[in-house]
C-alpha cells in the first residue's frame, strides 16, 4: 500500500492498512481488490515488491512452473510498524474515481494527490467535518485481464440533449441519488457544467459500455507512466467492484518431499545439487555467460566438482526430453507425494517432512463394520509435520480460464509480471500436520469393474468433457476420470466435515489432496488410491497435533464410521440423492451445501466431481463402502431393545 518514510506518530496509522502474508497470494494477490475501512486498493504486479522479499524454496514446484525461485512478502515485526518503510507488495488506490457522501461531488484521484495525503484517507475539502471520500461502485474489466475506471464523464454525456451537452469536455461530475425511484435507476452521474446526466440503470448489461462508445484501455491500474498500453480488442464489461468475476487467481501448491532414504553417495550428491536454490536458474541458463557463474557457485556450495554439476545438468536435460511426451508436471508432483505417503519408510525424516505409519487398531473381536472398514483401508499414515508451498502464477478476469495456458478458453491468463516473463512467483510456505489414508487397490479395482459403477462415472465424465473447466480438472484427475477419483474426493470432503467436529479445527482450516489420478497409456507409474487431509498454518511452528491424534487408534476408525453414517442422508433428500447434475456444468451428483460441499479454501478442484452415491451406494449403484454402512446399520438395529 502507499506508505511513506515519515517518522513519528503519523506512521503508526499504517497499522490499519496491513494484510496477512497468506493474503498476498489469495485473495489479495496480484490483481486482487482489497476493501479496507471504506478505501479500495488493488495489488500491483511483482515489479512493485520490495527487494528484501524472502526467498521460498520448492524445487519441484519451480520445475513445474518453469521459474527460477519463489519469494514471500517479509513480515513486519510486532510493534515495529511505526519504524519500517514499505516492505511488502505495493497496493494502489483503485478505483480512482471517488465521491463525497455528503455533497456527492466526484473527484478523480491522481498519484500526486496520494503523496500529499501522507498515508491519510482522502476527504472532501468542501463539506464540514471533511467526510471520507468513497470509491465508485462500478468498474470495467475485460476477458483479456485488463481493469480500469469507467469513463464517467463520457457516461454522463452519452445521452446529452443538444450540441452543448454532447460536446462538453468538463469533468466536474456529481454522483447523485434521487428518492423518486429505487435500485440503479435512483443513481445518476450528472455534469455540473452542462447538467447532462445518465442513471446507472442497465450498466450491468452485456456490451452496454461498447454501445456507449467506451473501449478497453488495455491497461492495469498499477502500470507506470512509462508502460505502454496493451492494444486490446476485447469488449469491456461493467461489473461491481466486489463482484466474484472481477478476479480469478491461479494458484499451485506442492508438498516438500525430502530425498529418499538410503541413497548411494552419488545419488545423495545429485539430490543436493538439484535441491539447491540456484539449480533452476542453472538448468535453464543453457550456454549463456551466466551459466559458468552458476556452475561455480553450485560446485562450491554443494562441495562437488564443476564437472559433476555439468553432468547432472546433462542428465536432467535428457530425462526431461524423454519424459516430456509421457507425463505432465502435475503428474510428477502427485507421483512423488504418493510414493512418500504410501511408503513412509522410503523417505528420510526432515525438519519439513515427518511421517510415520499408523493403523486403525481393529482386531477380530471388534464389530463387523469396523472389520469391513479395516479390509477396505490398506494404509494409514500420520504426518507430524509437513511443509506446503503455495504460489500465485497469475489471474484472469470476467471469465475463468479453462486451461493451463493462455490459449485456453475463457479469460486470458495475466502473469504476475505484466511487462516481462516472470522469473519468480510470489509464494508462501505453510507448516502443518495431517492424515493420509489409502484404500485397498484390489478392492477398488474390483469395484471399478462393476458395469453400473463405470456407467455412472461415464455420465459425469461426459459433463466434464463439455465443461469450461475440463482441462484444469483433468490436470488433477488424469486423462480419464476414474470412479475412484470421484469416490475418494467425496470421502475427503466427508472426512473434513467430520474432523471439524472431532479434531477441534474448523472446516475452513483443513485442506485436501486426492491421489487417484489416471495415467497415460503405456506409463509405468503405480496406481493411486488415497487421500491426504491436512492443516497448515502460516508460521514456522505449524499446528498443535489435533489431526495426528485423530489419525491414531481408536479415534480414526470411529471418525470414519461416523462420516459414512452421516453421508447416508442429507436435509435436501430426496432432491440431493436423486440429482442427475448439480453445480456449474452439472459436475456433481448427490452433493450439496447441506451434506458435502466445503469452503473453497479446502477443495483443490473447486467443489467439483462429488457424488455420495459412489461412496455409500444406492439401489442402482453399489458404493465402495456399502458393506461398511450395511454392517453399521445392522449393528445399530441389533442394539435396539424391542418391547
Amino acid at each position: 500500500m502507499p506508505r511513506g518514510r515519515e517518522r513519528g506518530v503519523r506512521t503508526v496509522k499504517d497499522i490499519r492498512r496491513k494484510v496477512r502474508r497468506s493474503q498476498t497470494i489469495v485473495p489479495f494477490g496480484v490483481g486482487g481488490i482489497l476493501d479496507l475501512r471504506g478505501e479500495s486498493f488493488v495489488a500491483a504486479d511483482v515489479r512493485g515488491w520490495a527487494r528484501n522479499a524472502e526467498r521460498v524454496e520448492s524445487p519441484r514446484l519451480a520445475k513445474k512452473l518453469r521459474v527460477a525461485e519463489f519469494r514471500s512478502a517479509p513480515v513486519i515485526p510486532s510493534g515495529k510498524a511505526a519504524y519500517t518503510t514499505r516492505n511488502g507488495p505495493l497496493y494502489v488506490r483503485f478505483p480512482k474515481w471517488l465521491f463525497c457522501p455528503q455533497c456527492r461531488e466526484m473527484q478523480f484521484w491522481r498519484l500526486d494527490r496520494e503523496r500529499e495525503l501522507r498515508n491519510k484517507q482522502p476527504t472532501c475539502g468542501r463539506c464540514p467535518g471533511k467526510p471520507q471520500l468513497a470509491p465508485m461502485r462500478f468498474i470495467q474489466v475485460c476477458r483479456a485481464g485488463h481493469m480500469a475506471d469507467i469513463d464517467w464523464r463520457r457516461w454522463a454525456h452519452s445521452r446529452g440533449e443538444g450540441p452543448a451537452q454532447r460536446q462538453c469536455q468538463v469533468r466536474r461530475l456529481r454522483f447523485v441519488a434521487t428518492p423518486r425511484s429505487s435500485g440503479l435507476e435512483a443513481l445518476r452521474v450528472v455534469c455540473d457544467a452542462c447538467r447532462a446526466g445518465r442513471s446507472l440503470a442497465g450498466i450491468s448489461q452485456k456490451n452496454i459500455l461498447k454501445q456507449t462508445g467506451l473501449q478497453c484501455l488495455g491497461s492495469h491500474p498499477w502500470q507506470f507512466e512509462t508502460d505502454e498500453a496493451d492494444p486490446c480488442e476485447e469488449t469491456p464489461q461493467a461489473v461491481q467492484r466486489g463482484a466474484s468475476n472481477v478476479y480469478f487467481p491461479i494458484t499451485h501448491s506442492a508438498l516438500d518431499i525430502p530425498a529418499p532414504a538410503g541413497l548411494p553417495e552419488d545419488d545423495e550428491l545429485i539430490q543436493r545439487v538439484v535441491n539447491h536454490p540456484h539449480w533452476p536458474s542453472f538448468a535453464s541458463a543453457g550456454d549463456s555467460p551466466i551459466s559458468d557463474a552458476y556452475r561455480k557457485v553450485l560446485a562450491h556450495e554443494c562441495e562437488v566438482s564443476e564437472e559433476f554439476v555439468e553432468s547432472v545438468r546433462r542428465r536432467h536435460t535428457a530425462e526431461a526430453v524423454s519424459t516430456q511426451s509421457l507425463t505432465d508436471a502435475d503428474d510428477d508432483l502427485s507421483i512423488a507425494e504418493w510414493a512418500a505417503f504410501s511408503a513412509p519408510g522410503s523417505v528420510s525424516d526432515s525438519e519439513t517432512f515427518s511421517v510415520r505409519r499408523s493403523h486403525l487398531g481393529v482386531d477380530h473381536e471388534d464389530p463387523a463394520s469396523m472389520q469391513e472398514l479395516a479390509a477396505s483401508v490398506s494404509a494409514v499414515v500420520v504426518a507430524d509435520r509437513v511443509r506446503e508451498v503455495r504460489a500465485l502464477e497469475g489471474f484472469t478476469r470476467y471469465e475463468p480460464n479453462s486451461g493451463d495456458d493462455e490459449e485456453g478458453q475463457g479469460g486470458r491468463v495475466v502473469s504476475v509480471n505484466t511487462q516481462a516473463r516472470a522469473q519468480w512467483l510470489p509464494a508462501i510456505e505453510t507448516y502443518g500436520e495431517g492424515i493420509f489414508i489409502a484404500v485397498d487397490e484390489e478392492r477398488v479395482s474390483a469395484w471399478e469393474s462393476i458395469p453400473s459403477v463405470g456407467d455412472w462415472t461415464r455420465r459425469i465424465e461426459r459433463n466434464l468433457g463439455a465443461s469450461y473447466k475440463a482441462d484444469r480438472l483433468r490436470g488433477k484427475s488424469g486423462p480419464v476420470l476414474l470412479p475412484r477419483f470421484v469416490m475418494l474426493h467425496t470421502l475427503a470432503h466427508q472426512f473434513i466435515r467430520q474432523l471439524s467436529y472431532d479434531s477441534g479445527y474448523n472446516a475452513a482450516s483443513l485442506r485436501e489432496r486426492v491421489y487417484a489420478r489416471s495415467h497415460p497409456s503405456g506409463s509405468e507409474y503405480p496406481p493411486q488410491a488415497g487421500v491426504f487431509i491436512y492443516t497448515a498454518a502460516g508460521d514456522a511452528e505449524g499446528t498443535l497435533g489435533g489431526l495426528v491424534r485423530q489419525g491414531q487408534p481408536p479415534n480414526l476408525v470411529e471418525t470414519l464410521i461416523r462420516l459414512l453414517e452421516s453421508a447416508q442422508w442429507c436435509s435436501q433428500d430426496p432432491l440431493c440423492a436423486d440429482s442427475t447434475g448439480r453445480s456449474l456444468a452439472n459436475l456433481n451428483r448427490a452433493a450439496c451445501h447441506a451434506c458435502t460441499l466445503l469452503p473453497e479454501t479446502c477443495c483443490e478442484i473447486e467443489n467439483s466431481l462429488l457424488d455420495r452415491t459412489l461412496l455409500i451406494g444406492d439401489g442402482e449403484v453399489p458404493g465402495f463402502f456399502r458393506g461398511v454402512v450395511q454392517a453399521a446399520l445392522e449393528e445399530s438395529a441389533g442394539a435396539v431393545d424391542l418391547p
Side-chain angles (χ1 to χ4, degrees):
M1 292 180 194
R3 289 191 283 271
R5 294 179 177 269
E6 66 267 53
R7 300 179 180 178
V9 178
R10 292 183 183 177
T11 54
V12 178
K13 292 185 178 180
D14 276 352
I15 297 176
R16 66 178 177 82
R17 288 180 178 173
K18 66 181 181 180
V19 296
R20 295 192 301 272
R21 172 184 278 184
S22 60
Q23 293 178 324
T24 61
I25 305 301
V26 176
F28 306 133
V30 174
I33 293 181
L34 167 64
D35 284 314
L36 196 62
R37 296 191 178 184
E39 297 180 281
S40 179
F41 303 91
V42 63
D45 65 2
V46 295
R47 294 178 299 160
W49 282 53
R51 294 181 180 271
N52 60 342
E54 300 177 10
R55 174 174 290 177
V56 178
E57 296 184 10
S58 181
R60 295 171 57 244
L61 189 59
K63 178 182 177 182
K64 168 189 173 181
L65 300 179
R66 298 181 178 88
V67 294
E69 61 181 354
F70 302 103
R71 298 180 187 176
S72 182
V75 175
I76 299 177
S78 178
K80 301 294 184 180
Y83 306 101
T84 56
T85 57
R86 187 182 66 78
N87 278 329
L90 177 66
Y91 286 77
V92 180
R93 192 178 300 279
F94 177 82
K96 293 181 174 62
W97 274 108
L98 312 174
F99 70 94
C100 174
Q102 291 187 13
C103 67
R104 312 298 292 188
E105 180 184 9
M106 296 175 60
Q107 299 185 31
F108 187 78
W109 207 256
R110 300 184 181 276
L111 183 59
D112 55 350
R113 300 186 66 182
E114 194 69 54
R115 298 191 183 100
E116 296 174 359
L117 280 180
R118 302 179 67 85
N119 296 328
K120 297 180 181 179
Q121 297 172 327
T123 57
C124 180
R126 297 185 180 183
C127 297
K130 294 185 177 181
Q132 177 183 339
L133 298 180
M136 290 296 289
R137 184 185 307 176
F138 285 88
I139 58 175
Q140 71 175 39
V141 298
C142 78
R143 294 175 68 255
H146 301 122
M147 181 171 68
D149 284 85
I150 295 176
D151 188 347
W152 293 112
R153 186 202 63 80
R154 188 158 188 171
W155 178 269
H157 295 85
S158 60
R159 294 183 177 177
E161 299 176 357
Q165 291 186 350
R166 288 194 293 268
Q167 298 175 9
C168 179
Q169 300 296 321
V170 180
R171 299 181 67 174
R172 296 201 307 269
L173 305 174
R174 290 186 183 275
F175 185 48
V176 300
T178 58
R180 295 188 299 272
S181 57
S182 60
L184 294 179
E185 294 181 357
L187 303 176
R188 294 179 57 83
V189 179
V190 180
C191 176
D192 272 352
C194 66
R195 308 311 300 171
R198 181 177 178 180
S199 72
L200 300 189
I203 193 172
S204 58
Q205 296 178 0
K206 193 173 183 179
N207 299 332
I208 189 66
L209 297 183
K210 182 178 180 180
Q211 297 172 6
T212 309
L214 299 178
Q215 297 179 349
C216 179
L217 302 179
S219 62
H220 305 281
W222 58 82
Q223 285 188 323
F224 304 136
E225 296 179 356
T226 56
D227 294 340
E228 295 184 3
D230 181 18
C232 182
E233 298 180 356
E234 293 287 345
T235 301
Q237 306 294 339
V239 296
Q240 293 196 52
R241 191 180 70 251
S244 60
N245 61 346
V246 170
Y247 184 61
F248 297 99
I250 300 175
T251 60
H252 304 269
S253 68
L255 299 181
D256 189 3
I257 306 298
L263 285 177
E265 183 178 356
D266 285 350
D267 288 347
E268 291 183 357
L269 294 177
I270 292 174
Q271 198 68 33
R272 187 188 307 173
V273 173
V274 172
N275 288 337
H276 193 278
H278 289 325
W279 168 256
S281 301
F282 174 66
S284 60
D287 297 329
S288 62
I290 200 174
S291 177
D292 296 334
Y294 278 125
R295 187 186 301 108
K296 292 179 180 179
V297 172
L298 287 169
H300 174 72
E301 297 189 1
C302 297
E303 300 179 354
V304 296
S305 65
E306 294 187 26
E307 291 77 10
F308 183 83
V309 175
E310 184 62 32
S311 67
V312 173
R313 181 167 68 168
R314 288 195 298 268
R315 181 188 302 182
H316 176 270
T317 302
E319 291 178 353
V321 173
S322 63
T323 60
Q324 186 174 10
S325 61
L326 295 179
T327 184
D328 57 21
D330 281 319
D331 210 349
D332 289 338
L333 293 180
S334 70
I335 288 172
E337 295 172 6
W338 168 258
F341 285 121
S342 58
S346 64
V347 293
S348 57
D349 286 351
S350 66
E351 295 181 354
T352 60
F353 189 81
S354 177
V355 296
R356 52 191 169 90
R357 190 176 295 278
S358 182
H359 56 89
L360 294 178
V362 177
D363 56 35
H364 64 279
E365 297 180 355
D366 286 318
S369 60
M370 293 186 178
Q371 296 186 29
E372 179 68 18
L373 179 63
S376 301
V377 175
S378 61
V380 176
V381 176
V382 293
D384 297 289
R385 188 171 178 83
V386 291
R387 173 179 175 265
E388 181 193 32
V389 174
R390 304 173 195 166
L392 176 66
E393 181 185 16
F395 63 90
T396 63
R397 300 200 191 277
Y398 194 66
E399 293 179 357
N401 186 268
S402 63
D404 294 332
D405 52 31
E406 296 185 1
E407 302 302 325
Q409 298 179 355
R412 191 181 75 183
V413 177
V414 180
S415 172
V416 293
N417 188 333
T418 54
Q419 293 299 312
R421 182 184 179 276
Q423 300 297 320
W424 60 272
L425 298 179
I428 57 170
E429 57 181 354
T430 58
Y431 295 85
E433 54 174 335
I435 307 172
F436 171 81
I437 296 177
V439 297
D440 185 76
E441 177 61 31
E442 293 185 4
R443 283 205 169 202
V444 76
S445 298
W447 171 73
E448 287 180 319
S449 64
I450 300 175
S452 59
V453 173
D455 294 341
W456 190 266
T457 307
R458 280 189 287 272
R459 298 173 193 172
I460 303 177
E461 188 170 22
R462 282 195 292 269
N463 291 339
L464 174 61
S467 169
Y468 69 92
K469 298 192 293 184
D471 292 342
R472 186 165 64 254
L473 294 182
R474 290 192 189 280
K476 297 295 183 181
S477 68
V480 178
L481 179 64
L482 299 177
R484 69 176 69 189
F485 186 92
V486 181
M487 182 271 293
L488 288 171
H489 188 210
T490 309
L491 174 66
H493 278 233
Q494 297 292 342
F495 201 4
I496 290 177
R497 292 172 71 95
Q498 189 62 43
L499 284 172
S500 67
Y501 300 115
D502 297 344
S503 67
Y505 295 108
N506 60 57
S509 65
L510 301 177
R511 293 168 63 87
E512 68 172 12
R513 297 184 86 85
V514 180
Y515 301 101
R517 63 176 297 137
S518 59
H519 299 305
S521 177
S523 67
E524 299 180 355
Y525 298 131
Q528 303 175 359
V531 296
F532 180 52
I533 307 300
Y534 63 103
T535 180
D539 60 7
E541 298 301 324
T543 46
L544 303 177
L547 284 189
V548 170
R549 181 177 180 181
Q550 289 304 126
Q552 297 174 346
N555 299 326
L556 181 58
V557 66
E558 296 176 357
T559 298
L560 293 175
I561 292 293
R562 281 197 295 269
L563 76 85
L564 293 174
E565 291 176 341
S566 64
Q568 295 179 85
W569 70 277
C570 171
S571 60
Q572 295 192 26
D573 283 342
L575 295 178
C576 178
D578 297 340
S579 172
T580 57
R582 283 175 173 264
S583 77
L584 292 174
N586 294 327
L587 295 180
N588 291 338
R589 289 298 191 265
C592 68
H593 284 284
C595 63
T596 307
L597 302 190
L598 293 172
E600 291 188 0
T601 55
C602 304
C603 183
E604 60 180 355
I605 55 173
E606 304 169 1
N607 276 322
S608 300
L609 304 180
L610 295 164
D611 186 6
R612 288 185 294 128
T613 302
L614 293 178
L615 184 67
I616 59 174
D618 63 3
E620 179 182 355
V621 180
F624 180 75
F625 290 99
R626 182 176 62 175
V628 180
V629 174
Q630 289 179 345
L633 291 176
E634 293 174 0
E635 293 163 5
S636 299
V640 176
D641 294 330
L642 298 177

